[in-house]
Amino acid sequence: PHCCLQTPPAMVMPTDLPRLSIVVVSQDDRRFFSVVHELKRSFAQWPHQLIRVKDARSMYDGYSHGYAQSSGEVVIFSHDDIQFAVPDFAARLATAIGDADLLGIAGTTRLCAPGLLWSGHPFIHGTVTHCSAAPERYDFSVLSLQGPYIDGAQGLDGVFIAARREWIERVGFDLNTFPGFHFYVVDFSYGSY
């Protein structure tokens, strides 16, 4: 028997790359050093500034402190426990950010509650993979097979968000309304809608 499935060709990194800053809010040294390894591997062809915020009182606090230290035209806000499932992730991001102010790996085109997934299908999009209870195994959360890009998202998951600097300047970080580690991303991403 022959397999009919083929791996799609890897995307090529664009040559004209915007300056990139990556902000990681992390209090855990082990997780931070693991994500640094992942970011260096995945963004090896895209020179970047990596900023760690270790003592954040909230995600917005961490975002705002990291953003104040950043110099990139594009700023990534990332959790400290991510891995990229495809080897050409940076090329995909560089291509997609050319046409967007803000993008993420999962979200909704219909924000109807503080939980991004509450809108259900067909409004939720993207894929997020979590470590399984079994060693070296993963659980896949496939929200939608549409894509690769979905326009008009009203809310994005906070695990990984990339934004243009001028968009961040317009929207900002509402530290007073969102003083904790929840719901900040609904406010942040809905600001682009």
Side-chain angles (χ1 to χ4, degrees), residues 9-10 15 74 80 97 100 111 126 129 139 154 157 163:
T15 54
V74 172
D80 64 359
I97 199 69
L111 190 61
T129 305
D139 295 326
Q154 293 183 1
D157 189 292

Side-chain angles (χ1 to χ4, degrees), residues 29-91:
D29 289 340
R30 183 189 56 78
R31 285 171 53 153
F32 177 71
F33 293 121
S34 177
V35 81
V36 166
H37 173 73
E38 180 69 9
L39 292 167
K40 284 183 178 180
R41 181 188 64 77
S42 297
F43 288 89
Q45 296 179 340
W46 192 347
H48 56 275
Q49 169 192 31
L50 180 61
I51 300 161
R52 178 186 189 182
V53 180
K54 190 173 183 175
D55 58 351
R57 293 169 301 191
S58 69
M59 286 304 280
Y60 259 176
D61 180 60
Y63 279 13
S64 64
H65 280 91
Y67 179 72
Q69 298 172 54
S70 72
S71 60
E73 298 165 70
V74 172
V75 181
I76 291 172
F77 300 98
S78 174
H79 284 191
D80 64 359
D81 60 349
I82 62 167
Q83 293 180 331
F84 301 107
V86 293
D88 61 346
F89 181 82

Side-chain angles (χ1 to χ4, degrees), residues 87-139:
D88 61 346
F89 181 82
R92 293 176 188 221
L93 175 65
T95 301
I97 199 69
D99 296 326
D101 289 329
L102 178 75
L103 57 88
I105 60 167
T108 181
T109 52
R110 181 177 166 222
L111 190 61
C112 63
L116 293 176
L117 303 182
W118 290 15
S119 57
H121 293 284
F123 305 106
I124 56 176
H125 305 281
T127 304
V128 178
T129 305
H130 302 277
C131 289
S132 174
E136 302 298 318
R137 300 218 182 228
Y138 299 91
D139 295 326

